[in-house]
């Protein structure tokens, strides 16, 4: 039997894999394009092997579908073509999606607008809930508004969010998650204050820099000061890497469109990086 799962919601997709294996009392084996054995090997009968669900992660382009598609559909084992991105305009994709003998499921990550509903549904599965004020605070801590830095708000990390929800539910003993619990257990994300620090450094504003560092150490809950500084250094290193990319592009006359293509940045981010890069040099 053959499945086609596509979309960037790897968290929910993984749950689907596990449920599929559990429902069919099967072993779960996963391969990527770099680890995929020959399809003939996977299709070969083995009297001593357990019923198996084979997850083929982003392997569609590596499979000779003309040769193997029907064999995969007819196999006693379950084969799952798990694609992060599927171009529905291609002839192959259109054919797979129309095939009634292939179960196709889309896994799109929830948008920021849909995230509150996703959180409530996750909590329902573990028989708990969250107070409205706590939900707002949790979202602001997990996904800060970065529009003032020229960024679009970042996509939610569902793995991190699910971990936070489980932690909060345990702390609240599966009663409604409170605002106090969120403030106590869920730290503020680092990137927002990082750009303020970068601005202070680029402007050589030592007083503002000292105030921001003190604010950062006070605002970040959990862990000692050493751990907080390590986390901050990591975030700053990523931003200074961006500044180095901007300086190198300027020095070598690389156009902004090429930088956007290579880095995958949004236009707003490149604008902010270029602006801050003017206060630095590669020496």
């Amino acid at each position: 039997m053959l499945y086609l799962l596509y979309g960037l919601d790897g968290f929910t997709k993984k749950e689907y894999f596990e449920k599929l294996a559990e429902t069919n009392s099967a072993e779960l084996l996963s391969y990527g394009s770099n680890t995929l054995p020959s399809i003939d090997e996977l299709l070969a009968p083995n009297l001593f092997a357990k019923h198996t669900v084979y997850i083929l992660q982003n392997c569609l382009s590596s499979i000779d579908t003309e040769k193997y598609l029907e064999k995969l559909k007819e196999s006693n084992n379950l084969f799952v073509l798990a694609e992060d991105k599927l171009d529905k305009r291609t002839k192959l994709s259109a054919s797979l999606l129309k095939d009634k003998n292939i179960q196709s499921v889309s896994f799109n990550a929830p948008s920021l607008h849909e995230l509150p509903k996703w959180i409530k549904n996750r909590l329902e599965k573990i028989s708990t809930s969250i107070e409205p004020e706590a939900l707002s605070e949790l979202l602001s801590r997990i996904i800060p508004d970065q529009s003032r830095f020229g960024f679009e708000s970042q996509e939610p990390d569902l793995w991190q969010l699910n971990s936070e929800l489980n932690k909060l539910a345990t702390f609240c003993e599966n009663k409604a998650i409170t605002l106090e619990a969120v403030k106590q257990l869920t730290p503020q994300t680092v990137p927002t204050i990082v750009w303020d620090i970068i601005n202070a450094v680029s402007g050589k504003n030592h007083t503002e820099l000292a105030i921001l560092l003190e604010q950062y150490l006070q605002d970040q809950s959990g862990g000692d000061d050493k751990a907080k500084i390590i986390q901050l250094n990591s975030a700053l290193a990523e931003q200074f890497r961006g500044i180095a990319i901007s300086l190198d592009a300027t020095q070598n006359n690389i156009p902004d469109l090429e930088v956007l293509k290579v880095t995958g940045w949004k236009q707003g981010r490149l604008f902010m990086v270029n602006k801050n890069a003017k206060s630095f040099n590669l020496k």
Side-chain angles (χ1 to χ4, degrees), residues 6 16 31 43 84 131 137 141 157 197 207 214 216 231 235 259-260 268 277:
Y6 58 97
Y16 190 97
Y31 299 99
L43 289 169
D84 288 342
E131 295 176 354
E137 182 68 21
R141 288 172 177 258
D157 183 337
I197 291 173
T207 302
E214 182 65 26
Y216 166 78
Q231 183 184 25
V259 176
L260 292 172

Side-chain angles (χ1 to χ4, degrees), residues 193-194 196-197 200 205-221 225 228-229 232 236:
I193 199 169
V194 164
D196 286 335
I197 291 173
N205 191 333
H206 304 298
T207 302
E208 177 69 11
L209 178 59
I211 292 172
L212 287 168
L213 290 173
E214 182 65 26
Q215 177 188 333
Y216 166 78
L217 292 173
Q218 291 178 353
D219 287 349
Q220 294 294 308
S221 59
D225 285 353
K228 295 174 184 178
I229 291 297
L232 178 60
L236 286 171

Side-chain angles (χ1 to χ4, degrees), residues 32-49:
S33 58
N34 294 327
T35 59
L36 181 67
S38 71
I39 300 299
D40 286 319
E41 182 180 336
L42 297 181
L43 289 169
N46 188 334
L47 297 177
F48 302 101

Side-chain angles (χ1 to χ4, degrees), residues 227-262:
K228 295 174 184 178
I229 291 297
I230 291 173
Q231 183 184 25
L232 178 60
N233 281 341
S234 176
L236 286 171
E238 176 62 23
Q239 302 311 324
F240 280 117
R241 172 180 171 272
I243 288 173
I245 289 173
S246 172
L247 292 170
D248 183 70
T250 300
Q251 182 175 298
N252 291 284
N253 298 315
I254 300 173
D256 284 354
L257 288 178
E258 184 65 23
V259 176
L260 292 172
K261 179 180 178 181
V262 172

Side-chain angles (χ1 to χ4, degrees), residues 46 72 95 110 120 143 208 212 231 268-269:
N46 188 334
L72 292 174
S95 174
K120 292 175 182 178
I143 307 172
E208 177 69 11
L212 287 168
Q231 183 184 25
R269 178 174 184 180

Side-chain angles (χ1 to χ4, degrees), residues 6-280:
Y6 58 97
L8 292 172
D9 182 1
F11 178 85
T12 310
K13 204 185 294 180
K14 181 175 182 294
E15 286 191 324
Y16 190 97
F17 299 156
E18 294 171 347
K19 185 66 176 178
L20 200 60
E22 180 184 350
T23 301
N24 291 275
S25 301
E27 180 181 10
L28 192 63
L29 294 178
S30 180
Y31 299 99
S33 58
N34 294 327
T35 59
L36 181 67
S38 71
I39 300 299
D40 286 319
E41 182 180 336
L42 297 181
L43 289 169
N46 188 334
L47 297 177
F48 302 101
K50 292 180 63 176
H51 192 42
T52 305
V53 176
Y54 291 106
I55 310 299
L56 310 184
Q57 299 269 15
N58 297 310
C59 294
L60 184 56
S61 61
S62 304
I63 297 173
D64 184 346
T65 51
E66 289 189 11
K67 180 178 180 180
Y68 291 112
L69 190 60
E70 292 304 318
K71 294 180 180 179
L72 292 174
K73 290 192 288 186
E74 294 169 0
S75 174
N76 290 327
N77 290 314
L78 282 72
F79 285 86
V80 180
L81 299 172
E83 297 291 311
D84 288 342
K85 296 180 181 180
L86 186 71
D87 187 350
K88 297 180 181 180
R89 299 169 297 179
T90 66
K91 183 178 179 180
L92 174 59
S93 297
S95 174
L96 293 175
L97 291 170
K98 290 179 181 178
D99 194 324
K100 295 182 179 180
N101 293 316
I102 300 175
Q103 294 197 31
S104 301
V105 187
S106 172
F107 288 86
N108 295 318
S111 66
L112 298 181
H113 178 72
E114 297 167 332
L115 203 54
K117 181 178 179 181
W118 188 91
I119 290 172
K120 292 175 182 178
N121 288 340
R122 293 300 305 173
L123 291 174
E124 284 181 5
K125 290 186 177 182
I126 54 176
S127 303
T128 190
S129 59
I130 186 168
E131 295 176 354
E133 298 84 358
L135 177 57
S136 297
E137 182 68 21
L138 177 63
L139 289 172
S140 71
R141 288 172 177 258
I142 294 293
I143 307 172
D145 179 11
Q146 302 186 74
S147 58
R148 65 191 180 99
F149 306 110
F151 285 81
E152 294 181 1
S153 292
Q154 64 193 65
E155 291 297 318
D157 183 337
L158 299 183
W159 301 92
Q160 177 195 7
L161 184 51
N162 186 67
S163 176
E164 287 295 328
L165 293 176
N166 287 332
K167 179 176 67 177
L168 289 164
T170 300
F171 179 79
C172 295
E173 298 179 335
N174 288 328
K175 297 177 182 178
I177 295 171
T178 64
L179 176 61
E180 291 72 21
V182 173
K183 287 183 175 180
Q184 183 174 344
L185 296 180
T186 304
Q188 291 278 7
T189 50
V190 175
T192 301
I193 199 169
V194 164
W195 276 97
D196 286 335
I197 291 173
I198 293 287
N199 287 333
V201 172
S202 65
K204 298 180 174 59
N205 191 333
H206 304 298
T207 302
E208 177 69 11
L209 178 59
I211 292 172
L212 287 168
L213 290 173
E214 182 65 26
Q215 177 188 333
Y216 166 78
L217 292 173
Q218 291 178 353
D219 287 349
Q220 294 294 308
S221 59
D224 56 20
D225 285 353
K226 181 179 178 180
K228 295 174 184 178
I229 291 297
I230 291 173
Q231 183 184 25
L232 178 60
N233 281 341
S234 176
L236 286 171
E238 176 62 23
Q239 302 311 324
F240 280 117
R241 172 180 171 272
I243 288 173
I245 289 173
S246 172
L247 292 170
D248 183 70
T250 300
Q251 182 175 298
N252 291 284
N253 298 315
I254 300 173
D256 284 354
L257 288 178
E258 184 65 23
V259 176
L260 292 172
K261 179 180 178 181
V262 172
T263 61
W265 293 348
K266 301 293 185 181
Q267 182 67 50
R269 178 174 184 180
L270 180 58
F271 173 81
M272 289 300 298
V273 170
N274 286 343
K275 178 182 176 182
N276 283 320
K278 293 177 181 178
S279 301
F280 299 90

